[in-house]
Coordinates of all heavy atoms in Angstrom, one line a residue:
S37 N -225.6 -97.3 -125.7 CA -224.9 -96.1 -125.3 C -223.4 -96.4 -125.1 O -223.1 -97.5 -124.7 CB -225.5 -95.4 -124.0 OG -225.4 -96.3 -122.9
W38 N -222.6 -95.4 -125.3 CA -221.2 -95.5 -125.0 C -220.7 -94.1 -124.6 O -221.0 -93.1 -125.3 CB -220.5 -96.0 -126.3 CG -219.0 -96.2 -126.2 CD1 -218.4 -96.8 -125.1 CD2 -218.0 -95.8 -127.1 NE1 -217.0 -96.8 -125.4 CE2 -216.8 -96.2 -126.6 CE3 -218.0 -95.1 -128.3 CZ2 -215.6 -96.0 -127.2 CZ3 -216.8 -94.9 -128.9 CH2 -215.6 -95.3 -128.4
S39 N -219.9 -94.0 -123.6 CA -219.4 -92.8 -123.1 C -220.4 -91.7 -122.9 O -220.2 -90.5 -123.3 CB -218.2 -92.3 -124.0 OG -217.2 -93.2 -124.0
G40 N -221.6 -92.1 -122.4 CA -222.6 -91.1 -122.1 C -223.4 -90.7 -123.3 O -224.3 -89.8 -123.3
R41 N -223.2 -91.3 -124.5 CA -223.9 -90.9 -125.7 C -224.8 -92.1 -126.1 O -224.3 -93.3 -126.1 CB -223.0 -90.6 -126.9 CG -222.0 -89.5 -126.6 CD -222.7 -88.2 -127.0 NE -221.7 -87.1 -126.9 CZ -221.9 -86.0 -126.5 NH1 -223.1 -85.7 -126.1 NH2 -221.0 -85.0 -126.4
S42 N -226.0 -91.9 -126.5 CA -226.9 -93.0 -126.9 C -226.9 -93.0 -128.4 O -226.7 -92.0 -129.1 CB -228.3 -92.9 -126.3 OG -228.9 -91.7 -126.8
F43 N -227.2 -94.2 -128.9 CA -227.3 -94.4 -130.4 C -228.4 -95.4 -130.7 O -228.7 -96.3 -129.9 CB -226.0 -94.7 -131.0 CG -225.3 -95.9 -130.5 CD1 -225.5 -97.2 -131.0 CD2 -224.4 -95.7 -129.4 CE1 -224.9 -98.3 -130.4 CE2 -223.7 -96.8 -128.9 CZ -224.0 -98.1 -129.4
D44 N -228.9 -95.4 -131.9 CA -229.9 -96.3 -132.4 C -229.3 -97.6 -133.0 O -229.8 -98.7 -132.8 CB -230.9 -95.7 -133.4 CG -231.6 -94.5 -132.8 OD1 -231.9 -94.5 -131.6 OD2 -231.9 -93.6 -133.6
S45 N -228.2 -97.4 -133.7 CA -227.5 -98.5 -134.3 C -226.1 -98.1 -134.7 O -225.8 -96.9 -134.8 CB -228.3 -98.9 -135.6 OG -228.3 -97.9 -136.6
G46 N -225.3 -99.0 -135.0 CA -223.9 -98.8 -135.3 C -223.3 -99.9 -136.1 O -223.7 -101.1 -135.9
T47 N -222.3 -99.6 -136.9 CA -221.6 -100.7 -137.7 C -220.1 -100.2 -137.8 O -219.8 -99.0 -137.9 CB -222.1 -100.9 -139.1 OG1 -222.0 -99.7 -139.8 CG2 -223.5 -101.4 -139.1
V48 N -219.2 -101.2 -137.7 CA -217.8 -100.9 -138.1 C -217.4 -102.1 -138.9 O -217.5 -103.3 -138.4 CB -216.9 -100.8 -136.8 CG1 -215.5 -100.6 -137.2 CG2 -217.4 -99.7 -135.9
S49 N -216.9 -101.9 -140.1 CA -216.4 -102.9 -141.0 C -215.0 -102.5 -141.4 O -214.7 -101.4 -141.9 CB -217.2 -103.0 -142.3 OG -218.5 -103.4 -141.9
A50 N -214.0 -103.5 -141.1 CA -212.6 -103.1 -141.3 C -211.9 -104.4 -141.9 O -212.2 -105.5 -141.5 CB -212.0 -102.6 -140.1
L51 N -210.8 -104.1 -142.6 CA -209.9 -105.1 -143.1 C -208.5 -104.9 -142.4 O -208.2 -103.7 -142.1 CB -209.6 -104.9 -144.6 CG -210.9 -105.1 -145.5 CD1 -210.5 -104.8 -146.9 CD2 -211.4 -106.5 -145.4
I52 N -207.8 -106.0 -142.2 CA -206.5 -105.9 -141.6 C -205.5 -106.5 -142.6 O -205.7 -107.7 -143.0 CB -206.4 -106.6 -140.3 CG1 -207.4 -106.0 -139.3 CG2 -205.0 -106.6 -139.7 CD1 -207.6 -106.8 -138.0
E53 N -204.6 -105.7 -143.0 CA -203.5 -106.2 -144.0 C -202.2 -105.8 -143.4 O -201.8 -104.6 -143.4 CB -203.8 -105.5 -145.3 CG -205.1 -105.9 -146.0 CD -205.3 -105.2 -147.3 OE1 -204.5 -104.3 -147.7 OE2 -206.4 -105.5 -147.9
D54 N -201.4 -106.7 -142.9 CA -200.2 -106.5 -142.2 C -200.5 -105.6 -141.0 O -201.3 -106.0 -140.2 CB -199.1 -105.9 -143.2 CG -197.7 -105.9 -142.6 OD1 -197.5 -106.4 -141.5 OD2 -196.8 -105.4 -143.3
K55 N -199.9 -104.5 -140.9 CA -200.2 -103.6 -139.8 C -201.3 -102.6 -140.1 O -201.7 -101.9 -139.2 CB -198.9 -102.8 -139.4 CG -197.8 -103.7 -138.8 CD -196.6 -102.8 -138.6 CE -195.4 -103.7 -138.1 NZ -194.2 -102.9 -138.0
V56 N -201.7 -102.5 -141.3 CA -202.6 -101.5 -141.8 C -204.1 -102.0 -141.4 O -204.4 -103.1 -141.7 CB -202.5 -101.3 -143.3 CG1 -203.5 -100.3 -143.8 CG2 -201.1 -100.8 -143.6
I57 N -204.8 -101.1 -140.9 CA -206.3 -101.3 -140.6 C -207.0 -100.4 -141.5 O -206.9 -99.1 -141.5 CB -206.6 -101.0 -139.2 CG1 -205.9 -102.0 -138.2 CG2 -208.1 -101.2 -139.0 CD1 -206.0 -101.7 -136.8
I58 N -207.8 -100.9 -142.4 CA -208.6 -100.2 -143.4 C -210.1 -100.2 -142.9 O -210.7 -101.3 -142.9 CB -208.5 -100.7 -144.8 CG1 -207.0 -100.7 -145.2 CG2 -209.4 -99.9 -145.8 CD1 -206.8 -101.5 -146.5
V59 N -210.6 -99.1 -142.5 CA -212.0 -99.0 -142.0 C -212.8 -98.7 -143.3 O -212.8 -97.5 -143.8 CB -212.2 -97.9 -140.9 CG1 -213.7 -97.8 -140.5 CG2 -211.3 -98.3 -139.7
E60 N -213.5 -99.7 -143.7 CA -214.4 -99.5 -144.9 C -215.6 -98.7 -144.6 O -216.1 -97.9 -145.4 CB -214.8 -100.8 -145.5 CG -213.6 -101.6 -146.1 CD -214.0 -102.9 -146.7 OE1 -214.8 -103.6 -146.1 OE2 -213.4 -103.3 -147.7
N61 N -216.2 -98.9 -143.4 CA -217.3 -98.1 -143.0 C -217.4 -98.1 -141.4 O -217.3 -99.2 -140.8 CB -218.6 -98.8 -143.5 CG -219.8 -98.0 -143.2 OD1 -219.8 -96.7 -143.1 ND2 -220.9 -98.7 -142.9
C62 N -217.6 -97.0 -140.9 CA -217.9 -96.8 -139.5 C -219.2 -95.9 -139.5 O -219.1 -94.8 -140.0 CB -216.8 -96.2 -138.8 SG -217.1 -95.8 -137.0
H63 N -220.2 -96.3 -138.9 CA -221.5 -95.6 -138.9 C -222.2 -95.7 -137.6 O -222.5 -96.9 -137.2 CB -222.3 -96.1 -140.1 CG -223.6 -95.3 -140.3 ND1 -224.8 -95.7 -139.7 CD2 -223.9 -94.2 -141.0 CE1 -225.7 -94.9 -140.1 NE2 -225.2 -93.9 -140.8
F64 N -222.6 -94.6 -137.0 CA -223.5 -94.6 -135.8 C -224.6 -93.7 -136.1 O -224.4 -92.6 -136.6 CB -222.7 -94.2 -134.6 CG -221.8 -95.3 -134.1 CD1 -220.5 -95.4 -134.6 CD2 -222.2 -96.3 -133.2 CE1 -219.6 -96.4 -134.2 CE2 -221.4 -97.3 -132.8 CZ -220.1 -97.4 -133.3
K65 N -225.8 -94.0 -135.7 CA -227.0 -93.2 -135.9 C -227.8 -93.1 -134.6 O -227.9 -94.0 -133.8 CB -227.9 -93.9 -137.0 CG -229.1 -93.1 -137.3 CD -229.9 -93.8 -138.4 CE -231.1 -93.1 -138.9 NZ -231.8 -92.3 -138.0
S66 N -228.2 -91.9 -134.4 CA -229.1 -91.6 -133.2 C -230.1 -90.6 -133.6 O -229.8 -89.4 -133.8 CB -228.2 -91.0 -132.1 OG -229.0 -90.7 -131.0
G67 N -231.3 -91.0 -133.9 CA -232.4 -90.2 -134.4 C -232.0 -89.6 -135.8 O -231.6 -90.4 -136.6
N68 N -232.0 -88.3 -135.9 CA -231.5 -87.7 -137.2 C -230.0 -87.4 -137.2 O -229.5 -87.0 -138.2 CB -232.3 -86.4 -137.4 CG -233.8 -86.6 -137.7 OD1 -234.1 -87.6 -138.3 ND2 -234.6 -85.7 -137.3
D69 N -229.4 -87.6 -136.1 CA -227.9 -87.4 -136.0 C -227.2 -88.6 -136.4 O -227.6 -89.8 -136.1 CB -227.5 -87.0 -134.5 CG -228.2 -85.7 -134.0 OD1 -228.6 -84.9 -134.9 OD2 -228.3 -85.6 -132.8
F70 N -226.0 -88.5 -137.0 CA -225.2 -89.6 -137.4 C -223.8 -89.2 -137.5 O -223.4 -88.1 -137.7 CB -225.8 -90.3 -138.6 CG -225.6 -89.5 -139.9 CD1 -224.4 -89.6 -140.6 CD2 -226.6 -88.7 -140.3 CE1 -224.3 -88.8 -141.8 CE2 -226.4 -87.9 -141.5 CZ -225.3 -88.0 -142.2
L71 N -222.9 -90.3 -137.5 CA -221.5 -90.2 -137.8 C -221.2 -91.3 -138.8 O -221.6 -92.4 -138.6 CB -220.6 -90.3 -136.6 CG -219.1 -90.6 -136.9 CD1 -218.5 -89.3 -137.5 CD2 -218.4 -91.0 -135.6
Q72 N -220.5 -90.9 -139.9 CA -220.1 -91.9 -140.9 C -218.7 -91.6 -141.3 O -218.4 -90.4 -141.6 CB -221.0 -91.9 -142.1 CG -220.9 -93.1 -143.1 CD -219.7 -93.0 -144.0 OE1 -219.2 -92.0 -144.4 NE2 -219.1 -94.2 -144.2
A73 N -217.8 -92.6 -141.3 CA -216.4 -92.3 -141.6 C -215.8 -93.6 -142.2 O -216.3 -94.7 -142.0 CB -215.6 -92.0 -140.3

Side-chain angles (χ1 to χ4, degrees):
S37 64
W38 184 44
S39 294
R41 302 272 189 220
S42 64
F43 54 90
D44 298 329
S45 62
T47 61
V48 178
S49 298
L51 300 173
I52 301 170
E53 298 175 357
D54 193 0
K55 295 177 185 176
V56 177
I57 299 173
I58 301 167
V59 177
E60 293 179 322
N61 183 37
C62 174
H63 183 266
F64 287 90
K65 183 177 184 324
S66 178
N68 291 328
D69 300 338
F70 68 88
L71 166 67
Q72 194 281 325

